[in-house]
Amino acid sequence: MNRDLVLHDWLVAGIALAAGAAAGLLLRALLRWLGRHAERTRWRGDDIIVDALRTIAPGAALIAGAAVAATTLPLTARVSGFVNQSLTALLILIATLSTARVVAGLVQSVAGTRTGVAASASIFVNITRIVVLVMGVLVALETLGVSIAPLVTALGVGGLAVALALQDTLANLFAGVHILASKTVQPGDYIRLTSGEEGYVVDINWRNTVVRNLSNNLVIIPNGRLARTNMTNFTQPEAQFSIMVQVGVGYESDLEHVERVTLDVVDGVMADINGAVPDHEGAVRFHTFADSRINFTVILGVGEFSDQYRIKHEFIKRLHRRFRTEGISIPAPTHTIALQRDEALTPPPHAPVPHQRGSSPSTATELTDTRN
């Protein structure tokens, strides 16, 4: 110190700190007002930016007040420099955290917009957040006077050892990046693997892919396995697809009438049931002369994979009721069995029964008469 601290110094420093705190509260109130207006817009990016500024603006105002307070105090050059470096590094860290939140939120918003679902792939979000945080920490260390060149070199050498130790983890990481970059699978898609797992893709993170099946259970699939296996994506290139329902009618039915009635039921289902495709043109295709009926296929339109069960359910009910009203039969398979009797081995209808042990006396008499 060049001189001793007096009451005036403490008073001025306190006023500077109070002014910084008051400015922080005013900025927070202003940003809360801006946040309410940002919620009314369609773009989600302004919500993310305002939310991040709520964190950095009050902290920056408070740090500015502390810096002004430090300049009013009679500090030595060494102490003053250390205080300024510390406050600058703290401001950089706060700005880094806010920037990481903004960038991660924007990446998540863009991913959600592209996939059309609320959830997005967290692998890009996490990678972006880590990169921003690492850069911010390195800048803060450089501000404090710590040389980062040896640290970067050590990280490069240690990275080789880490890469060898985490081969499976890194393989899953790059497999997840490849899956998302190639757009073969996106969050919200319904997929089915050849091994039997199927469901909606909830998230693709740095290690695995999370799939939610129709029973609302989560299936965890490593990214490396997902990249190597064969799969069917029921959402791409479009979510709408066709399903086929097998039906059969009796040989005595008028097939022209059957086709008209079936198409009428298809049109009703497509127009009334949620998840159907209203502009879908139904089709009926007769294809087999079976043992007891003529089989045909009905083609229905479905909005997405999980809608097919509800549409099949309603179509079968309506078609069955309509066929009964129209007098169209749906015969069940029948088998006719013809029995032939061998006359050489079958006794005459009135032939006496051979005597057996335990037979009644009248039976024994009949057996004797027969032998005579």
Side-chain angles (χ1 to χ4, degrees):
M1 293 184 181
N2 296 329
R3 59 180 177 81
D4 295 334
L5 287 172
V6 296
L7 180 61
H8 179 268
D9 297 330
W10 291 111
L11 182 62
V12 173
I15 292 174
L17 287 175
L25 293 177
L26 290 176
L27 288 174
R28 189 173 183 84
L30 177 62
L31 290 172
R32 187 181 296 111
W33 177 79
L34 290 176
R36 288 195 297 267
H37 286 274
E39 292 176 353
R40 302 174 184 174
T41 62
R42 294 184 178 181
W43 186 48
R44 188 169 174 267
D46 54 359
D47 299 332
I48 298 172
I49 295 174
V50 172
D51 185 63
L53 289 177
R54 288 181 183 177
T55 303
I56 187 175
L62 187 61
I63 291 175
V68 173
T71 58
T72 62
L73 297 176
L75 303 176
T76 62
R78 181 178 179 181
V79 174
S80 178
F82 176 75
V83 171
N84 290 332
Q85 287 181 347
S86 300
L87 293 176
T88 303
L90 181 60
L91 181 61
I92 291 173
L93 290 177
I94 295 176
T96 300
L97 292 174
S98 300
T99 304
R101 290 180 59 183
V102 171
V103 175
L106 292 176
V107 170
Q108 188 174 13
S109 177
V110 171
T113 303
R114 291 181 60 186
T115 57
V117 293
S120 63
S122 62
I123 183 171
F124 287 146
V125 177
N126 292 332
I127 291 176
T128 304
R129 184 182 290 114
I130 291 173
V131 170
V132 174
L133 290 177
V134 170
M135 293 178 61
V137 170
L138 291 178
V139 173
L141 291 176
E142 185 71 21
T143 303
L144 292 175
V146 178
S147 179
I148 63 174
L151 180 61
V152 173
T153 304
L155 289 176
V157 175
L160 296 176
V162 172
L164 293 175
L166 301 176
Q167 292 184 21
D168 294 339
T169 301
L170 293 177
N172 289 323
L173 172 62
F174 289 111
V177 173
H178 170 71
I179 290 172
L180 289 173
S182 62
K183 299 181 181 180
T184 55
V185 176
Q186 297 290 328
D189 292 353
Y190 193 96
I191 62 173
R192 176 185 293 164
L193 277 61
T194 54
S195 55
E197 296 88 351
E198 63 177 273
Y200 289 98
V201 178
V202 177
D203 187 22
I204 302 177
N205 55 43
W206 61 277
R207 182 174 178 81
N208 49 53
T209 298
V210 182
V211 175
R212 177 176 55 83
N213 56 26
L214 295 180
S215 59
N216 208 29
N217 296 320
L218 296 181
V219 181
I220 310 301
I221 305 172
N223 292 333
R225 179 188 169 194
L226 186 66
R228 291 191 303 267
T229 189
N230 297 330
M231 78 176 77
T232 302
N233 192 329
F234 292 94
T235 307
Q236 297 186 20
E238 61 180 3
Q240 296 182 2
F241 68 102
S242 299
I243 59 174
M244 293 179 289
V245 180
Q246 305 299 325
V247 190
V249 294
Y251 277 94
E252 72 281 358
S253 302
D254 183 359
L255 298 186
E256 295 292 339
H257 181 58
V258 170
E259 184 175 5
R260 286 193 301 269
V261 170
T262 305
L263 290 177
D264 186 44
V265 174
V266 170
D267 294 338
V269 171
M270 293 296 100
D272 300 339
I273 304 305
N274 184 27
V277 183
D279 56 350
H280 172 77
E281 184 177 356
V284 174
R285 298 292 181 263
F286 296 95
H287 56 77
T288 305
F289 288 101
D291 293 338
S292 59
R293 57 184 179 175
I294 298 176
N295 294 330
F296 62 94
T297 300
V298 183
I299 302 176
L300 306 171
V302 178
E304 63 171 314
F305 186 87
S306 60
D307 296 329
Q308 61 176 311
Y309 305 104
R310 179 172 59 256
I311 294 173
K312 282 183 179 179
H313 168 78
E314 190 64 29
F315 171 73
I316 291 174
K317 287 199 309 180
R318 293 191 180 190
L319 186 66
H320 181 260
R321 182 168 60 248
R322 184 67 180 276
F323 275 8
R324 292 183 62 183
T325 303
E326 299 290 337
I328 301 173
S329 63
I330 305 177
T334 58
H335 297 279
T336 302
I337 301 176
L339 299 178
Q340 295 182 354
R341 304 174 67 180
D342 192 342
E343 297 180 355
L345 300 178
T346 304
H350 302 289
V353 180
H355 175 67
Q356 297 179 356
R357 181 177 298 177
S359 303
S360 61
S362 60
T363 305
T365 304
E366 293 176 357
L367 178 61
T368 304
D369 294 339
T370 302
R371 289 180 179 179
N372 292 333

